[in-house]
Amino acid sequence: MKIKKPKVAVFKLASCDGCQLALLDAEDELLAVAGAVDIAYFPEASRRMLKGPYDVGIVEGSITTPDAHEYIREIRKMSQILIVIGACATAGGIQALRNWKDVKEFTSIVYATPEYISTLERSMPVSSFVHVDFELRGCPINKYQLIEVINALLNKRKPNISTHSVCIECKLKGNTCITVAHGIPCLGPVTQAGCGAICPSYKRGCYGCFGPMDSPNTVSLSKHFAESGQSKYDTMLMFRGFNAYAEVFRKESDAQEK
Amino acid sequence: MKSHLKIESRQLNILFDSLKDLGYTIVGPTVREGSIVYDNIDSASGLPVGWTDEQSAAAYKLKRRGDNSYFGYNLSPYSWKRFLFPPRVKLFSAAKKGKSFKINSDSGNASVPIMSLPNYAFIGVRPCEIQAIKIQDKVFNNWQYIDTVYKNRKEKVFIVAVNCTQAGGTCFCVSMNSGPKADNGFDIALTEVIDKGGHYFIVEAGSEKGNELMSKIPHTVAGQSEIENANRLVQTTARQMNKSMDTKDIKELLYANLESRHWDDVATRCLTCANCTMVCPTCFCTTVEDVTDLTGENAERWKRWDSCFTMDFARVFGGNFRSSSRARYRQWMTHKLASWIDQFGTSGCVGCGRCITWCPVGIDITEEIEKIKEKGGKGEYFNHKDTKVTKEIKKD
Ligand code: SF4
Ligand code: SF4
Ligand code: SF4
Ligand code: SF4
Ligand code: SF4
């Protein structure tokens, strides 16, 4: 029995393209994916642009303009299943740092004719505007996780995407904890797994690229950083990264700023 | 009475060579990434010669000792469970066959023929770790269930125990009756002595395999004073231990305090990061993940370490029966120190202190149990109304 291949579209909003590149970077697997799905719309990769509706819409990027706001509603209507990928689409991205500032001031400094610039006050995740079926975290995403989500969808099974801490990945790998052994502050305990604990494996504290894990206790971690001699300012900066506007990280960085 | 033998420290390499001759792959302590880990080593020079580890809650540091001791440290971040109970194993693979599927025989780790597994020789197993292995034996190889992944590995292992001649900063084996000296559960046990009389090991053989190995290594029968020197070192270690846990009626204490307010207090500190369960030498929980290829023609089932601190652990149809951090910390501690006794007839804790050292915020199981006792000794928080389990299910 031949099942019709699902029609997939990949859209981009405010983002750096890194997550889409992660998919293109999966060269070996991409051919298999291309064989299993019908890539109907993926401007980054192909000139073929088939009209919707699509079985699956994949969105990279955050909502920063009134146009994008319109566009995401359209995408939602066209996509039976909506998967959003990366820190921009799931939390507003690094550009959400402007949410703490006056965006008008920025446009007046950066652009010659700021009147032409139409932008929203804040950079927001897709889920603030439309219903999202699956959020894949990461800055950038892990290409194997994206393939796993597509794979699970094709085979009608649960994707193996853990929502626990990075520490578990770090421990499965057999790393010596750099926080305990070297006093390096690390966001691993409050960050969702997915990257494979890359940074701790290279003796760098986790930057929180995959956003808050499912039961993050940022207050306790910050308190421990303070007891270990880190300034509130530095702790604030740690939480104000790629996932700065993810609710738990946002609240923690605000608390540290006071 | 078991006889005590003596090996001169310069002969230690012969122990390595003899084990290799017998076909063993040697795993032992070695310095890596600023810590002493258990990894493949080839000779005595791979041991952490002259190093020690300073451990306290949420802190670990390597230090120079100023002597040439081979085993002058206490415990690595990970226990031997990594080798006997690997973090990830493939259980089997399967292929689609029409509307059904077929499990490929010999496709997973459970069915790896025992012949093709490495013969591990573990060098430097601490007494508390021997107790942990005995506990995992009861979990994985008991009267009811046999985990072949564990059993096949365990059966082949050669254990060189090393008694402790110093106590680590987070050790409390004396309380748990698991150290600092091992009485059995090893093939040979060493006690390292460095004094005016030289640098030597007092050796006890604990099995036929151990006797056989000793016949290959040049040794003498240990003198009475040498045996006493070794014993004195171990006794001093027991006295030096600055952590302890009162285990009297501990099961009853915990069962009477399931609603202690102290769990809320721990929950404000606990990150639910699961580090404690990952490093604990007895924790045995796993989860199962099924993977397919894109076509769906081939599938694999994998087992990997899990923890009662993860949210997914208690997610069942209709909700999550342990969604709060307090319930998860309570599960960990109550399982380790109380319900483990009902389940396996022994405590689930051997007092190695790893959960204290490697907790990123330094939560100390010995201190928490004291506080529970202080707060709940009279059972005053028992049946504390606003924290019913049913409420947690609703929350999720
Ligand atoms: S290094 Fe970071 S991620 Fe790894 S165990 Fe330590 S705190 Fe967790
Ligand atoms: S707990 Fe006891 S047996 Fe284990 S390392 Fe410490 S002193 Fe040795
Ligand atoms: S509970 Fe802690 S002290 Fe006890 S065996 Fe486990 S890691 Fe060691
Ligand atoms: S304490 Fe938790 S992780 Fe450890 S064995 Fe018990 S339930 Fe499993
Ligand atoms: S007790 Fe410590 S190591 Fe264990 S989950 Fe809580 S914070 Fe993590």
Side-chain angles (χ1 to χ4, degrees), chain B residues 114-367:
Chain B
I114 188 159
M115 297 302 294
S116 61
L117 288 171
N119 279 12
Y120 284 125
F122 293 166
I123 294 191
V125 185
R126 296 299 186 187
C128 59
E129 299 183 301
I130 288 189
Q131 175 67 11
I133 293 172
K134 287 187 196 163
I135 292 173
Q136 287 214 324
D137 279 343
K138 290 194 184 176
V139 174
F140 291 130
N141 190 12
N142 60 32
W143 55 99
Q144 220 176 350
Y145 304 109
I146 294 172
D147 179 320
T148 46
V149 174
Y150 178 87
K151 180 171 175 269
N152 292 348
R153 281 165 175 73
K154 170 65 204 306
E155 269 172 9
K156 300 180 82 175
V157 155
F158 189 102
I159 292 182
V160 178
V162 176
N163 292 321
C164 292
T165 47
Q166 67 172 36
T170 54
C171 297
F172 57 101
C173 60
V174 171
S175 306
M176 307 318 284
N177 210 8
S178 63
K181 186 177 188 308
D183 296 324
N184 51 45
F186 50 78
D187 294 297
I188 62 168
L190 313 178
T191 309
E192 182 173 27
V193 184
I194 305 179
D195 62 14
K196 287 189 284 312
H199 185 179
Y200 55 90
F201 294 95
I202 299 299
V203 189
E204 283 171 69
S207 71
E208 244 342 282
K209 281 196 288 181
N211 283 327
E212 197 190 314
L213 180 78
M214 284 312 291
S215 70
K216 298 184 192 301
I217 303 169
H219 63 263
T220 53
V221 173
Q224 196 51 42
S225 69
E226 289 162 337
I227 298 172
E228 273 164 23
N229 286 346
N231 285 345
R232 207 172 313 118
L233 284 171
V234 174
Q235 283 154 12
T236 315
T237 302
R239 269 201 309 278
Q240 269 178 358
M241 207 157 288
N242 59 25
K243 284 207 184 292
S244 65
M245 185 188 281
D246 179 5
T247 56
K248 190 171 169 291
D249 297 331
I250 197 162
K251 189 175 100 177
E252 291 72 18
L253 173 79
L254 282 162
Y255 285 170
N257 280 286
L258 294 178
E259 302 300 343
S260 168
R261 246 173 241 164
H262 189 65
W263 303 120
D264 295 318
D265 182 279
V266 190
T268 63
R269 287 170 283 135
C270 177
L271 307 169
T272 62
C273 63
N275 275 303
C276 45
T277 51
M278 296 286 122
V279 296
C280 179
T282 67
C283 272
F284 57 79
C285 286
T286 53
T287 185
V288 162
E289 285 177 349
D290 290 339
V291 294
T292 48
D293 61 5
L294 280 165
T295 62
E297 294 296 320
N298 299 290
E300 287 174 1
R301 173 160 290 182
W302 286 76
K303 180 168 97 162
R304 68 158 173 87
W305 288 358
D306 198 6
S307 162
C308 54
F309 277 102
T310 70
M311 195 71 123
D312 265 344
F313 193 85
R315 182 167 284 140
V316 291
F317 175 76
N320 192 315
F321 57 86
R322 234 176 260 137
S323 62
S324 70
S325 310
R326 77 188 281 282
R328 282 182 264 164
Y329 188 88
R330 176 179 61 191
Q331 159 62 22
W332 138 260
M333 186 190 258
T334 309
H335 189 210
K336 293 266 86 152
L337 302 174
S339 54
W340 206 295
I341 302 174
D342 289 332
Q343 219 179 345
F344 303 108
T346 161
S347 172
C349 174
V350 300
C352 72
R354 280 189 178 90
C355 54
I356 307 172
T357 301
W358 300 101
C359 171
V361 290
I363 294 174
D364 181 336
I365 191 170
T366 64
E367 285 174 12

Side-chain angles (χ1 to χ4, degrees), chain A residues 32-33 151 155 157 160 162 164-165 167-168 171-176 180-182 189 213-215 217 220 224, chain B residues 33 35 60 78 82 267-273 275 279 290-294 296 304 310-311 328 357-358 360:
Chain A
V33 174
N151 184 332
N155 289 298
R157 64 174 172 84
N160 295 308
S162 300
H164 56 58
S165 68
C167 295
I168 292 187
K171 287 285 188 280
L172 290 177
K173 243 180 155 173
N175 291 344
T176 294
V180 170
H182 306 292
M213 50 87 94
D214 54 20
S215 53
N217 188 345
S220 171
H224 186 74
Chain B
E33 293 176 33
S35 62
Y60 175 103
Y78 294 92
R82 277 200 96 73
T268 63
R269 287 170 283 135
C270 177
L271 307 169
T272 62
C273 63
N275 275 303
V279 296
D290 290 339
V291 294
T292 48
D293 61 5
L294 280 165
R304 68 158 173 87
T310 70
M311 195 71 123
R328 282 182 264 164
T357 301
W358 300 101

Side-chain angles (χ1 to χ4, degrees), chain A residues 99-119:
Chain A
N99 300 0
W100 278 271
K101 302 282 183 211
D102 179 6
V103 75
K104 288 221 183 66
E105 200 186 318
F106 283 154
T107 45
S108 70
I109 296 168
V110 175
Y111 298 101
T113 12
E115 309 82 81
Y116 293 159
I117 303 298
S118 157
T119 181

